[in-house]
Amino acid sequence: MNNKQKNYIYLNIVFLILSIYVILFPIIIIPLKAIVPSFGVCPYFRITGNYCPLCGGTRYLSNIYRAFKNPFYLIHPFGIIIMCVLFEIIFRVFILTKKLYNKKIVIFDIIYHLTLFIIFIAYEFFFFMLK
């Protein structure tokens, strides 16, 4: 196994841990808020007094059970983000278990994340323009 493959394995592990953290954040925040109450407040909101593009994400995840009653709950910017995070977890587990480290997978990975990055920047741009 060469250095590029090792680095890609480490990248997969980091993305997998971050994705799991995003999904479990509403559960993790409960004991953290008991220790440090200000931790549950968005830093952007605390400094500016304005909501950031991601304000409401924790609340959305906490109420994700609503998607079982109404599938349209997932057709929301946060719902799309959560579906991408779930795809990320499945994709990373698949890559790590099957040991797929070929050039096509890496190119797909780069294109997928560049696309998500561009969509997120557009979302933030429109969020601030509509204020």
Side-chain angles (χ1 to χ4, degrees):
M1 185 177 306
N2 61 30
N3 263 352
K4 288 181 183 179
Q5 288 175 331
K6 282 183 185 179
N7 288 339
Y8 191 63
I9 291 170
Y10 297 143
L11 179 80
N12 280 299
I13 293 169
V14 168
F15 276 167
L16 179 63
I17 291 170
L18 286 173
S19 299
I20 292 169
Y21 174 75
V22 166
I23 296 295
L24 295 179
F25 186 74
I27 297 168
I28 295 170
I29 193 75
I30 294 168
L32 290 178
K33 281 172 70 173
I35 297 168
V36 182
S38 65
F39 188 74
V41 179
C42 173
Y44 183 84
F45 181 75
R46 192 177 333 150
I47 292 169
T48 66
N50 297 321
Y51 293 111
C52 77
L54 296 177
C55 278
T58 304
R59 191 171 44 255
Y60 181 86
L61 269 174
S62 298
N63 297 320
I64 198 70
Y65 65 87
R66 292 182 181 178
F68 293 114
K69 295 178 185 174
N70 184 3
F72 290 108
Y73 190 73
L74 294 174
I75 302 175
H76 181 279
F78 292 124
I80 295 168
I81 290 170
I82 295 307
M83 286 188 279
C84 290
V85 170
L86 290 174
F87 172 76
E88 189 78 31
I89 291 171
I90 293 166
F91 181 66
R92 299 297 163 193
V93 168
F94 183 75
I95 287 174
L96 290 169
T97 56
K98 299 291 183 183
K99 298 183 175 137
L100 296 174
Y101 312 119
N102 61 36
K103 190 174 181 177
K104 289 181 183 179
I105 294 288
V106 173
I107 290 172
F108 169 78
D109 205 0
I110 292 170
I111 292 171
Y112 174 71
H113 284 95
L114 280 175
T115 305
L116 288 180
F117 178 74
I118 291 167
I119 291 169
F120 181 73
I121 294 298
Y123 168 72
E124 285 195 6
F125 176 75
F126 287 117
F127 179 85
F128 287 117
M129 292 304 289
L130 295 175
K131 280 185 143 185

